[in-house]
Amino acid sequence: MDADGWDKHYSSTELVWGAPPNDTVVEQVFGLERRLPLTGFGIGEPRPELPRALDLGCGEGRNALWLATHGWQVDAVDYAQAGIDKGRTVASRLSRSVRGRISWHFADVTDLLAAGLTGPYELILLAFVHLPAADRRALLLSAAGMLSPGGTLLVLGNDTSNLTEGYGGEQDPALTFTPNDIVDDLAPTGDDLRIRVADRVHRPTEERDAIDALVVATKPIPEEEAPALEGPAPTGS
């Protein structure tokens, strides 16, 4: 579906995906320790006060909004203006401190440089971003290069087996993927990225379980660097 198609889709109902964040995203992110970046900023440039997240294909912002309420500074990116607008509307109902943690970007996730998004980020999220294999691979490698030391890359989407064994979701086989597909896409990063989770996840729906592919990878902290500042992610309203 192109940007115009998604605009129509998001305009057709109040919230297409609902307000709560994806359960798998919450499960994987909630336990992350706060890791402030040790490198990647210019001389004299201060570290951000909050850990930074990049939500690619944010849609109506349900995951971005949840991240912001749990202490993340979020860049939320989507090429559907209707989705971005609805995310801003939901954010307007939240406290000023939470609203201030989200920057909305109407942009193509496959051209992040044009959007001025270069990182580093402590978390990069691709939730249900379904692209042709070559574009997906290029985006994943670009995202991996934007992680700060200790940062996490979380990829979640409709597994290929969902077409025959699951329910709903992306119906074009060329746009679905398996955990192994994502691991193979990330293979060129070598030791710069460590795969922590590569599995299928069953997600309840109104009919039967949908089947999602989940990969979680982390960028190692170089041994010569001092330990990252760790602690629970701050919360606030």
Side-chain angles (χ1 to χ4, degrees):
M1 189 181 294
D2 59 17
D4 289 340
W6 279 112
D7 277 332
K8 293 176 181 177
H9 192 51
Y10 287 132
S11 300
S12 63
T13 62
E14 183 176 353
L15 286 173
V16 174
W17 313 115
N22 177 273
D23 287 344
T24 301
V25 170
V26 171
E27 179 183 356
Q28 295 297 324
V29 173
F30 192 76
L32 288 179
E33 294 173 320
R34 179 178 178 177
R35 298 178 183 272
L36 294 181
L38 299 174
T39 61
F41 295 92
I43 296 175
E45 186 177 354
R47 298 176 180 176
E49 294 182 0
L50 299 172
R52 300 206 305 166
L54 177 63
D55 184 3
L56 296 174
C58 67
E60 298 161 315
R62 60 177 182 151
N63 294 318
L65 290 162
W66 180 82
L67 287 167
T69 61
H70 286 79
W72 294 83
Q73 188 75 37
V74 186
D75 282 319
V77 186
D78 206 286
Y79 72 171
Q81 186 66 60
I84 293 288
D85 290 344
K86 289 168 80 171
R88 283 196 176 107
T89 297
V90 175
S92 70
R93 304 166 189 163
L94 304 177
S95 69
R96 180 180 299 179
S97 63
V98 172
R99 293 198 308 271
R101 294 175 193 153
I102 307 178
S103 297
W104 302 95
H105 301 269
F106 172 49
D108 186 341
V109 298
T110 64
D111 194 2
L112 296 175
L113 189 60
L117 299 169
T118 58
Y121 293 96
E122 287 71 68
L123 171 66
I124 299 180
L125 171 64
L126 288 88
F128 302 96
V129 177
H130 292 277
L131 300 169
D135 292 338
R136 182 190 69 226
R137 186 175 304 113
L139 176 57
L140 287 170
L141 293 176
S142 175
M146 296 167 70
L147 286 174
S148 67
T152 295
L153 173 65
L154 195 163
V155 183
L156 179 68
N158 299 133
D159 188 83
T160 301
S161 66
N162 188 64
L163 293 166
T164 55
E165 302 173 32
Y167 179 76
E170 178 58 60
Q171 294 299 298
D172 184 346
L175 301 181
T176 61
F177 52 83
T178 68
N180 285 340
D181 290 334
I182 302 302
V183 171
D184 289 344
D185 288 344
L186 293 171
T189 63
D191 293 336
D192 290 337
L193 207 63
R194 295 175 182 169
I195 305 299
R196 187 164 62 82
V197 178
D199 206 355
R200 290 184 170 93
V201 177
H202 285 253
R203 171 170 45 87
T205 74
E206 65 273 17
E207 294 291 335
R208 59 183 183 275
D209 283 1
I211 304 173
D212 296 331
L214 170 67
V215 173
V216 181
T218 57
K219 182 174 182 177
I221 299 174
E223 293 182 1
E224 63 270 17
E225 291 187 356
L229 177 63
E230 299 180 358
T235 60
S237 57

